[in-house]
């Protein structure tokens, strides 16, 4: 039996702009996924701990503070360190196009920048994230 | 062309509404303003209830202050940008602080990693503040500082820099945002729980009202409320609702309303809907004037006046076809001017990617200068006054905002409403509704959900190196080595005592920063006494 996809929507770092994260969280929930939202001001350690404890399939990071290069890398590193490199990491926020290839190379699977239709995020997840069997 | 006469017969079947989904009629007539009393509700510019503006001659007498927000890297980097902007005709400085500073962390705190100097300037001690304003005479310019939760600390540092330039606090002019309530509602850079935060803030306001007659000690901010997704009316209501809470708190502490109300200023967003925005500024002035005079019995006409800074809507800018953002910003800036703002920041075309480049900032500043010097809109006061449409919108928006403020009163005031999650919930509902409207094309965004270009050449963006973080860490350790550790310790102990009592915190904070206690150290004292606030994380 397949279970519902579980997705962690996380706001790492210090910025308080949570409009995007909350819109995404709600759109994913409305699409039938199980969504866990971390709330604001999370360290990469807190995000990875939540991802492990909640046993999520996908970690979606929202970053508008300009610290994306540092924060994505930290989350990916800690996931790997904890043997959870199979969790799909995606993200969104204010991310300059120049930074996108570098982030993808590090292991971020998809990045959704301003103007994204939430249905595109839902479609991408349906296509690219496989729920694990119970 | 053939079917044009046919189309003119009636409205198209779709509904016409403002950006905030307010239905609008095809034609506005004298009937729409029949309930308005021209003397009582509209009046003259410079007179109660200030619907038409706070000054008699408005921009004929003095243009609005063109105030571009700037700050990145270390204090030296931002000092250079300040001097660049001043040399291009900017009239006042506006300081953007980085995330760790906004949240009261020193750069060596683990959560500050990757964020030092990225989104604003890093200020960790008085030593940074001295460098930030190096060579800038503080009695010749006005400074705005966008800082909230740790506002009292940065305010104290600014006063201390003034002293080093040989200036008394009463010679310093400017604005500190210091609007902690909107942090809990929208911007979410908080430190201590709401009640303690208001106490810390009001200690600063109280001190400034006595020592700094030229200083605006709170800039009550709707900007972030709107950017988080509020409609124009919600922005109006929650912002003025916050204002009501500060005035109530001041009166409760025994402050004379006419002593501090004239030093309260406001900060609004200006979005794309031209007329809705003009009406919003007019409604805000009338509503505030009435609240201050009727509800709070303020006697000084300066207490009734809503003075405001405005910023074009960052959230309206698109990453797609970014040059279109210049046009959006122009429309928004024009609405702010026609709405009668006292000060304006225009966003740069590249801000959906990063902090702006110098070229992008220059275009944004030039936009204001073109409106001021070429468009002719400054020649007469409140040119839309008397327009059936604008007066009708002004009136509707005022009434709706009043109803929301009444609802907050019934809940027991803004602190209680925040505790119940009321404004936060209303805002996210509006944000979600708007997102749906965009996705179903009920609202068109050029370049995003219509008129899309397939291939777009990349634009140049500003890169801020992590180098700033290293330099900042180095300076912090140098400051710690040079200062008198015993005196720092004593000043922090004294501050802790003051925090635990009801003593005004400002003198103790001032003493601590002069000993080069860091921002993080001062804030840690607050946290140890008052606790910290955690995001409830509802969505």
């Amino acid at each position: 039996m397949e279970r519902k996809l579980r997705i962690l929507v996380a706001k790492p770092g210090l910025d308080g702009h949570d409009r995007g994260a909350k819109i995404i969280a709600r759109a994913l929930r409305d699409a039938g996924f199980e969504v866990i939202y971390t709330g604001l001001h999370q360290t990469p350690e807190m995000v990875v701990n939540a991802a492990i404890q909640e046993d999520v399939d996908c970690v979606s990071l929202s970053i508008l503070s300009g610290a994306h290069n540092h924060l994505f890398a930290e989350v990916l590193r800690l996931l790997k360190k904890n043997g959870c490199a199979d969790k799909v990491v995606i993200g969104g926020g204010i991310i300059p196009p120049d930074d996108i290839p570098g982030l993808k190379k590090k292991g971020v699977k998809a990045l959704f920048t301003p103007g994204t239709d939430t249905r595109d995020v839902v479609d991408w997840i349906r296509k690219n994230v496989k729920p694990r069997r119970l | 062309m053939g079917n044009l006469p046919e189309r003119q017969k009636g409205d198209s079947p779709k509904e016409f509404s403002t950006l905030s989904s307010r239905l609008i009629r095809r034609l506005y007539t004298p009937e729409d303003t029949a309930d308005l009393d021209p003397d009582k509700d509209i009046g003259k510019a410079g007179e109660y209830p200030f619907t038409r503006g706070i000054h008699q001659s408005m921009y004929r007498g003095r243009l609005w202050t063109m105030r571009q927000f700037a700050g990145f890297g270390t204090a030296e980097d931002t000092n250079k940008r300040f001097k660049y902007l001043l040399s291009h005709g900017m009239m006042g400085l506006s300081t953007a602080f980085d995330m760790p500073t906004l949240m009261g962390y020193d750069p060596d705190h683990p959560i500050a990693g990757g964020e030092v100097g990225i989104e604003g300037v890093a200020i960790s001690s008085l030593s940074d503040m001295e460098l930030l304003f190096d060579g800038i005479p503080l009695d010749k310019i006005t400074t705005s500082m966008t800082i909230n939760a740790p506002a009292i600390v940065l305010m104290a540092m600014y006063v201390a820099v003034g002293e080093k330039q040989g200036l008394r606090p009463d010679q310093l002019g400017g604005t500190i945002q210091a609007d902690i309530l909107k942090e809990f509602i929208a911007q979410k850079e908080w430190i201590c729980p709401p009640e303690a935060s208001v106490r810390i803030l009001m200690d600063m306001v109280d001190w400034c009202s006595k020592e700094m007659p030229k200083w605006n000690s709170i800039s009550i901010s709707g900007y972030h409320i709107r950017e988080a997704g509020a409609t124009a009316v919600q922005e109006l209501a929650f912002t003025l609702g916050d204002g009501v809470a500060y005035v109530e708190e001041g009166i409760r502490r025994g402050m004379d309303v006419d002593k501090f109300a004239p030093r309260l200023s406001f900060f609004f967003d200006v979005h794309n809907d031209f007329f809705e925005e003009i009406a919003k500024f007019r409604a805000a002035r009338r509503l505030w004037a009435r609240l201050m005079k009727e509800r709070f019995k303020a006697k000084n006409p300066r207490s009734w006046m809503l003075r405001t800074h405005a910023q074009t809507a960052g959230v309206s800018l698109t990453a797609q076809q970014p040059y279109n953002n210049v046009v959006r910003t122009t429309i928004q800036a024009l609405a702010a001017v026609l709405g009668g703002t006292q000060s304006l920041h225009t966003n740069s075309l590249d801000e959906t990617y990063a902090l702006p480049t110098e070229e992008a900032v220059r275009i944004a500043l030039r936009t204001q200068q073109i409106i001021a010097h070429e468009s002719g809109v400054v020649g007469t006061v409140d040119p839309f006054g008397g327009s059936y449409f604008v007066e009708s919108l002004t009136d509707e928006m005022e009434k709706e905002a009043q109803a929301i403020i009444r609802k907050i009163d019934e809940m027991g005031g803004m602190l209680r409403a925040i505790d119940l999650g009321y404004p936060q919930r209303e805002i996210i509902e509006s944000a979600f509704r708007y997102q749906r409207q965009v996705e179903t094309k009920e609202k068109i965004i050029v370049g995003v959900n219509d008129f899309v270009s397939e291939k777009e050449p990349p634009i140049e963006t500003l890169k801020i190196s992590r180098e700033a973080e290293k330099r900042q860490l180095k300076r912090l350790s140098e400051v710690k080595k040079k200062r008198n550790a015993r005196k720092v310790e004593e000043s922090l102990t004294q501050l802790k005592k003051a925090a635990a009592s009801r003593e005004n915190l400002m003198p103790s904070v001032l003493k601590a920063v002069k000993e080069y206690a860091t921002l993080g150290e001062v804030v840690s004292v607050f946290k140890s006494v008052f606790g910290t606030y955690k995001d409830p994380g509802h969505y």
Side-chain angles (χ1 to χ4, degrees):
Chain A
M1 191 187 120
E2 278 196 346
R3 60 174 202 179
K4 273 188 181 179
L5 275 178
R6 282 170 76 79
I7 301 169
L8 183 75
V9 174
K11 281 285 300 172
L14 292 173
D15 97 271
H17 298 95
D18 56 1
R19 174 184 181 149
K22 287 184 166 183
I23 284 176
I24 282 293
R26 192 180 295 194
L28 298 181
R29 187 184 66 191
D30 291 353
F33 304 137
E34 280 181 38
V35 176
I36 299 105
Y37 174 51
T38 60
L40 289 163
H41 311 136
Q42 305 289 301
T43 61
E45 286 80 3
M46 289 156 92
V47 172
V48 170
N49 283 343
I52 293 167
Q53 274 166 26
E54 297 287 349
D55 191 22
V56 298
D57 306 293
C58 176
V59 178
S60 170
L61 304 174
S62 171
I63 305 172
L64 286 88
S65 68
H68 45 270
N69 288 328
H70 173 77
L71 292 169
F72 274 111
E74 273 301 283
V75 169
L76 287 160
R77 185 181 70 80
L78 291 168
L79 280 173
K80 203 167 168 190
K81 191 178 149 198
N82 286 284
C84 300
D86 59 328
K87 294 191 195 301
V88 176
V89 176
I90 62 174
I94 304 279
I95 296 165
D98 292 358
D99 289 346
I100 290 176
L103 289 169
K104 288 206 169 156
K105 216 168 140 192
K106 279 183 188 147
V108 183
K109 291 287 185 287
L111 285 160
F112 300 96
T113 47
T116 298
D117 190 317
T118 57
R119 291 169 299 189
D120 293 341
V121 182
V122 169
D123 288 347
W124 190 94
I125 292 174
R126 284 212 175 103
K127 259 184 225 139
N128 295 283
V129 184
K130 296 281 166 273
R132 284 156 300 160
R133 293 182 181 274
L134 285 177
Chain B
M1 288 301 284
N3 60 6
L4 200 59
E6 186 65 28
R7 283 171 61 194
Q8 280 177 338
K9 273 186 198 160
D11 289 355
S12 82
K14 86 170 208 176
E15 279 179 343
F16 285 82
S17 64
T18 65
L19 184 84
S20 301
S21 295
R22 166 187 312 284
L23 288 181
I24 51 177
R25 298 187 275 284
R26 182 175 53 82
L27 183 70
Y28 284 77
T29 67
E31 266 176 50
D32 294 297
T33 55
D35 289 345
L36 286 170
D37 179 332
D39 291 329
K40 208 172 111 258
D41 297 320
I42 303 169
K44 295 186 181 126
E47 288 177 23
Y48 184 85
F50 303 102
T51 314
R52 306 203 65 186
I54 60 164
H55 302 302
Q56 252 176 20
S57 62
M58 286 303 287
Y59 306 128
R60 287 186 155 213
R62 199 174 108 190
L63 288 172
W64 63 92
T65 305
M66 299 178 195
R67 199 186 286 279
Q68 297 294 101
F69 197 38
F72 60 90
T74 60
E76 293 101 324
D77 301 327
T78 300
N79 178 270
K80 271 188 215 141
R81 176 66 71 96
F82 279 171
K83 287 178 177 163
Y84 172 86
L85 288 166
L86 289 170
S87 75
H88 278 79
M90 201 171 70
M91 297 131 89
L93 300 174
S94 179
T95 321
F97 297 98
D98 71 355
M99 287 293 166
T101 307
L102 291 173
M103 293 286 292
Y105 290 109
D106 285 343
D108 55 358
H109 191 283
I111 201 165
E115 312 222 34
V116 179
I118 298 290
E119 257 207 339
V121 58
I123 300 292
S124 325
S125 75
L126 179 58
S127 162
D128 297 325
M129 203 66 143
E130 289 162 2
L131 289 165
L132 184 64
F133 294 103
D134 183 46
I136 300 173
L138 301 190
D139 55 341
K140 299 283 189 303
I141 49 118
T142 59
T143 302
S144 158
M145 292 190 283
T146 301
I147 189 85
N148 295 284
I152 194 169
V153 191
L154 277 295
M155 188 71 241
M157 288 180 187
Y158 193 77
V159 169
V161 172
E163 265 179 37
K164 298 214 165 184
Q165 291 190 3
L167 302 169
R168 293 183 313 274
D170 64 11
Q171 291 172 282
L172 305 177
T175 304
I176 189 159
Q177 194 166 81
D179 177 1
I180 195 65
L181 291 173
K182 69 95 177 127
E183 293 297 330
F184 297 105
I185 296 173
Q187 169 109 328
K188 298 163 185 181
E189 279 139 21
W190 47 58
I191 296 172
C192 299
E195 215 162 309
S197 299
V198 170
R199 182 253 166 126
I200 298 169
L201 163 75
M202 291 303 288
D203 278 0
M204 185 200 82
V205 174
D206 208 341
W207 190 88
C208 288
S209 75
K210 293 179 185 112
E211 309 288 334
M212 303 181 76
K214 286 160 66 181
W215 193 265
N216 298 316
S217 47
I218 316 181
S219 167
I220 307 164
S221 303
Y223 184 82
H224 318 88
I225 291 173
R226 187 68 179 282
E227 293 280 301
T231 63
V233 163
Q234 286 170 337
E235 176 191 2
L236 191 55
F238 295 142
T239 310
L240 269 57
D242 286 346
V244 164
Y246 295 129
V247 174
E248 279 178 338
E249 179 60 18
I251 291 172
R252 200 191 59 77
R253 294 166 65 110
M255 292 164 71
D256 173 1
V257 67
D258 282 314
K259 279 268 157 53
F260 72 97
R263 300 319 304 172
L264 298 176
S265 66
F266 285 81
F267 173 24
F268 288 104
D269 198 88
V270 224
H271 217 301
N272 282 329
D273 195 302
F274 193 63
F275 291 108
E276 187 171 57
E277 293 304 316
I278 294 169
K280 182 181 79 186
F281 284 92
R282 302 174 86 251
R285 280 193 296 271
R286 186 158 77 204
L287 183 48
W288 187 247
R290 286 175 170 165
L291 282 165
M292 291 310 297
K293 192 175 178 200
E294 290 163 19
R295 177 166 172 173
F296 295 113
K297 313 288 178 217
K299 303 267 187 308
N300 181 354
R302 297 195 62 84
S303 302
W304 307 333
M305 277 182 203
L306 180 146
R307 293 166 302 123
T308 192
H309 171 65
Q311 181 175 339
T312 58
V315 78
S316 74
L317 304 183
T318 64
Q320 298 79 3
Q321 305 173 31
Y323 291 103
N324 294 344
N325 292 332
V326 177
V327 183
R328 292 188 178 96
T329 298
T330 306
I331 293 170
Q332 295 163 11
L334 197 52
V337 170
L338 292 169
T341 193
Q342 277 61 64
S343 156
L344 179 63
H345 167 111
T346 31
N347 289 325
S348 302
L349 67 101
D350 52 358
E351 290 188 56
T352 43
Y353 290 115
L355 287 189
T357 61
E358 279 192 359
E359 192 195 7
V361 173
R362 194 169 58 240
I363 294 170
L365 177 60
R366 295 286 183 254
T367 304
Q368 294 199 44
Q369 291 162 339
I370 290 168
I371 292 172
H373 302 289
E374 298 185 27
S375 76
V377 300
V378 300
T380 191
V381 173
D382 186 34
F384 281 112
S387 146
Y388 305 127
F389 179 40
V390 171
E391 292 298 354
S392 171
L393 270 184
T394 303
D395 196 46
E396 277 176 27
M397 292 174 78
E398 183 194 7
K399 290 207 169 88
E400 287 168 31
Q402 246 167 350
I404 297 175
I405 292 173
R406 209 171 302 126
K407 196 167 170 180
I408 295 166
D409 288 338
E410 281 160 11
M411 288 179 184
M414 191 51 109
L415 276 167
R416 181 72 187 127
I418 288 170
D419 203 32
L420 293 169
Y422 166 67
Q424 300 95 308
R425 214 168 38 241
E426 294 289 306
I427 292 168
I428 196 64
E429 286 303 324
S430 298
F432 201 66
R433 194 179 321 124
Y434 181 69
Q435 180 70 21
R436 280 274 170 272
Q437 289 172 332
V438 170
E439 293 182 358
T440 56
K441 284 203 181 188
E442 195 184 314
K443 299 261 188 256
I444 298 298
I445 302 178
V446 173
V448 174
N449 64 359
D450 209 345
F451 313 103
V452 176
S453 304
E454 283 310 320
K455 274 247 177 272
E456 289 186 35
I459 61 165
E460 199 190 316
T461 56
L462 184 76
K463 297 269 175 289
I464 293 167
S465 112
R466 294 278 302 276
E467 195 53 38
E469 186 166 340
K470 286 184 199 139
R471 279 188 279 141
Q472 192 61 16
L473 285 166
K474 189 160 165 261
R475 171 144 357 106
L476 181 68
S477 72
E478 281 165 6
V479 165
K480 284 187 177 171
K481 258 183 249 152
K482 262 203 278 182
R483 64 188 189 175
N484 183 328
R486 190 181 53 81
K487 283 192 167 173
V488 174
E489 200 53 47
E490 277 171 16
S491 70
L492 292 173
T493 309
Q494 163 57 32
L495 174 64
K496 192 166 181 170
K497 267 193 212 139
S501 74
R502 297 177 69 171
E503 199 181 301
N504 189 308
L505 294 167
M506 188 70 186
S508 315
V509 175
L510 201 48
K511 200 155 177 252
V513 302
K514 283 185 192 170
E515 296 296 346
Y516 295 85
T518 67
L519 174 65
E521 288 166 341
V522 172
V523 165
S524 292
V525 171
F526 292 154
K527 286 179 178 170
S528 74
V529 178
F530 303 120
T532 50
Y533 184 75
K534 292 264 178 292
D535 184 13
H538 302 310
Y539 68 92

